[in-house]
Amino acid sequence: MPPDIAAPDVAVTAARAELDRLWARGTAFLGCPVAIMGGAMSWVSERHLVAAISNAGGFGVIACGAMGPDLLAAEIAGTQALTERPFGVNLITLHPQLDDLIRVCLAARVGHIVLAGGIPPGAAVRAVKDGGAKLVAFTPALVLARRLIRSGADALVIEGFEAGGHIGPVSLMVLAQEILPHVHDVPVFVAGGLGHGEAILALLQMGASGAQLGTRFAAATESIAHPQFKQAFIRAAARDALPSVQLDERFPVIPVRGLVNEGVRRFLRFQAETRDRFQAGELTKESAQLAIEHYWAGALRRAVIDGDVENGSVMAGQSVGMVTAEQPTAEIIAELVAQAVAALAARHRAA
Ligand SMILES: Cc1cc2nc3c(=O)[nH]c(=O)nc-3n(C[C@H](O)[C@H](O)[C@H](O)COP(=O)(O)O)c2cc1C
């Protein structure tokens, strides 16, 4: 066989082996062949998408969101009926029944619990660890990474400002430079704005053990998101996914990234009206703040489930620009892996 025909296969095989070495710590930790986690997305990350991600070799994560213990138990059982592969559960630390939710996960033998939405309370960390599950936590800075590891986190996720949903102020590229060179005790997964395998590869080469993606999976075939929600993702460019805007520093707004729509524009007007009513003495500061916080209640469900993408909350990362079609989950994962392998193989050939 002429060398120019045989050569690419050799390069691809070597590249795939190198990718497997690069994310070996992540795959060992997750217990799956591809160190790509499906970032938990409230309303979206339920049994079908979670099982599809795990069945495709990645690691699906159920978003508990506001679910109570019974609903969560049913969702875990439903997922276990669809996959024999490992998957995790994401719990919000502010949930009033956090302890019960942890018990539900442990009773169902969920191996990985992701605690999101703030620094996990000590009692929750102990409950997860004592119950034999692995604890995954988010860190927004190096000092907190160190503290989380000391308190028992088995893996960390660093999520950049580019991500969909609730966001911190720092980009993934800056977090990666700040944290990856200094954290060696536990695997670190990177998230936010990732949509292409070559970017994942670059972060693995910087020391990450794997990646977490949300937006690209939200538009997957197996995602139960409404067709209008998926179409909004397919139409959108990166610049359409913007953080929520706070009008007045006296009334803080939690930063959330999503597609700009009529609901977002109305939120600005609502903040202005609420502030004016406070200044006119019609509302106390507390009731004005509460009104602003309640504006988005139920809005994610309205967009994801009902398909009201004009008035609902269409949370999306800047990676939404890389969603170009509704694709089966297995195809998305295979594409990400192939892109990373192709980039590595091209470098081998050029060397
Ligand atoms: C629609 C949507 C809902 C989300 N809901 C949650 C959530 O409930 N809990 C959580 O920890 N992260 C949530 N996220 C963040 C994702 O888990 C993931 O980290 C993020 O989407 C990664 O960035 P990417 O969207 O650019 O891939 C959500 C993201 C989206 C797009």
Side-chain angles (χ1 to χ4, degrees):
M1 195 182 291
D4 56 335
I5 292 176
D9 284 342
V10 172
V12 167
T13 307
R16 177 64 218 232
E18 190 172 338
L19 179 63
D20 287 340
R21 270 195 304 277
L22 280 167
W23 64 22
R25 200 175 182 192
T27 54
F29 175 77
L30 298 171
C32 60
V34 174
I36 294 179
M37 297 168 72
M41 295 175 279
S42 292
W43 297 108
V44 182
S45 299
E46 49 69 80
R47 62 190 78 182
H48 297 97
L49 181 59
V50 172
I53 292 171
S54 291
N55 285 335
F59 189 84
V61 180
I62 294 176
C64 175
M67 273 185 231
D70 292 346
L71 274 182
L72 179 63
E75 207 50 51
I76 293 171
T79 310
Q80 285 168 336
L82 296 174
T83 184
E84 291 182 351
R85 305 273 186 104
F87 63 88
V89 174
N90 174 303
L91 305 174
I92 310 286
T93 54
L94 291 175
H95 196 297
Q97 292 170 290
L98 181 61
D99 296 345
D100 295 333
L101 297 171
I102 291 173
R103 269 195 289 277
V104 164
C105 292
L106 296 173
R109 310 194 70 77
V110 169
H112 299 69
I113 297 179
V114 185
L115 292 179
I119 299 300
V125 172
R126 275 190 303 281
V128 170
K129 307 275 299 183
D130 291 350
K134 294 190 172 107
L135 173 70
V136 184
F138 287 81
T139 183
L142 182 58
V143 281
L144 284 168
R146 293 199 165 117
R147 205 208 291 171
L148 285 163
I149 295 167
R150 272 199 307 275
S151 72
D154 298 299
L156 296 174
V157 180
I158 55 174
E159 187 185 55
F161 174 72
E162 305 91 328
H166 292 83
I167 48 171
V170 182
S171 72
L172 176 58
M173 189 46 84
V174 170
L175 287 176
Q177 293 170 81
E178 181 188 322
I179 293 173
L180 292 179
H182 305 290
V183 174
H184 305 292
D185 296 344
V186 300
V188 180
F189 294 84
V190 287
L194 298 174
H196 195 284
E198 189 165 9
I200 296 173
L201 169 68
L203 287 151
L204 294 174
Q205 289 174 324
M206 287 175 72
S209 293
Q212 168 167 300
L213 277 67
T215 296
R216 281 216 59 192
F217 290 125
T221 310
E222 294 87 347
S223 154
I224 58 152
H226 194 282
Q228 296 286 358
F229 189 88
K230 295 183 188 178
Q231 279 307 314
F233 272 39
I234 292 165
R235 277 196 306 270
R239 67 185 61 201
D240 299 324
L242 297 181
S244 45
V245 175
Q246 172 182 312
L247 200 66
D248 188 314
E249 62 184 1
R250 287 171 298 177
F251 299 108
V253 166
I254 296 170
V256 171
R257 186 180 296 283
L259 299 185
V260 175
N261 61 7
E262 183 49 31
V264 169
R265 287 186 284 272
R266 202 177 327 109
F267 183 48
L268 268 185
R269 296 198 292 276
F270 183 77
Q271 287 183 68
E273 286 158 19
T274 308
R275 179 203 50 198
D276 293 349
R277 289 179 64 203
F278 162 68
Q279 277 167 347
E282 288 172 35
L283 289 176
T284 63
K285 190 157 186 290
E286 290 68 31
S287 53
Q289 178 65 38
L290 219 59
I292 288 171
E293 282 171 17
H294 281 173
Y295 177 88
W296 289 111
L300 181 60
R301 184 187 194 285
R302 215 177 311 145
V304 173
I305 305 296
D306 304 341
D308 183 357
V309 291
E310 262 318 301
N311 301 294
S313 169
V314 190
M315 291 182 187
Q318 292 183 337
S319 49
V320 76
M322 288 175 265
V323 176
T324 53
E326 181 174 335
Q327 286 175 281
T329 301
E331 192 178 296
I332 296 173
I333 291 183
E335 193 179 283
L336 293 166
V337 170
Q339 288 163 343
V341 168
L344 270 173
R347 284 178 216 167
H348 286 157
R349 285 193 206 100

